[in-house]
Amino acid sequence: MKTTTFLRTALAISAVALVFTSCKKDDEPKPKPKPVEITYVIKNNPAVKDLKFTSLTVSGHKGQDSTISKDLKFPMTIKVKRSKPAKKSSVAIKAKVDKVSKLEFEILMDGKSVKKGGADIKDIKTEGKLEHTF
């Protein structure tokens, strides 16, 4: 009987010690991921006089579109800070203009070019677009 009581006491002490030594603090803050700067550049080539945007949209890596409506002049550079995109997510820039022209697009991430492309706008109803998938 003394042996059984001793074993139960030893097991209880071991269990309590194990619980206190294996628990992590839940209050420790998790490090926040470093945001990245995504830059969208749009130019017209060759330069068409008085070319104006009829719409300009930037889509983020979470599928959200942002319509740009201020200071719409060529060339245009848009910079945004976002959390680091997950794999297989994408960002895009879309533009419509009021005249026939050629548009050049570029997407940069932290100052490094990740995608370049162009669109030959032969009809003003056509939208030029460049999309990059991470």
Side-chain angles (χ1 to χ4, degrees):
M1 186 120 131
K2 286 184 178 184
T3 306
T4 307
T5 305
F6 176 74
L7 287 175
R8 285 185 187 166
T9 306
L11 184 61
I13 292 172
S14 298
V16 170
L18 183 63
V19 167
F20 284 111
T21 58
S22 65
C23 290
K24 287 193 331 188
K25 264 188 168 178
D26 292 336
D27 298 338
E28 291 178 12
K30 294 180 182 178
K32 292 182 180 179
K34 180 183 172 192
V36 295
E37 182 178 79
I38 301 173
T39 305
Y40 304 90
V41 179
I42 184 169
K43 302 174 188 173
N44 61 330
N45 186 17
V48 176
K49 282 191 172 191
D50 300 326
L51 182 65
K52 294 181 180 133
F53 290 101
T54 55
S55 75
L56 179 61
T57 305
V58 174
S59 68
H61 64 280
K62 293 184 179 178
Q64 304 146 326
D65 285 349
S66 300
T67 302
I68 312 297
S69 60
K70 291 183 95 182
D71 301 323
L72 297 176
K73 298 175 186 173
F74 282 95
M76 180 73 145
T77 301
I78 304 157
K79 293 183 180 186
V80 293
K81 286 207 178 217
R82 306 255 163 116
S83 59
K84 187 170 183 173
K87 285 189 177 187
K88 298 195 179 186
S89 64
S90 63
V91 293
I93 182 168
K94 300 177 248 179
K96 284 187 179 180
V97 290
D98 65 346
K99 295 181 183 175
V100 173
S101 64
K102 290 185 179 185
L103 302 179
E104 292 180 3
F105 299 101
E106 184 174 14
I107 299 174
L108 298 100
M109 191 164 148
D110 285 335
K112 295 178 184 174
S113 181
V114 293
K115 184 95 177 223
K116 286 184 180 182
D120 193 6
I121 307 295
K122 295 181 181 180
D123 181 7
I124 61 171
K125 294 177 185 174
T126 304
E127 179 178 69
K129 179 179 179 179
L130 180 67
E131 185 173 9
H132 174 66
T133 303
F134 295 93

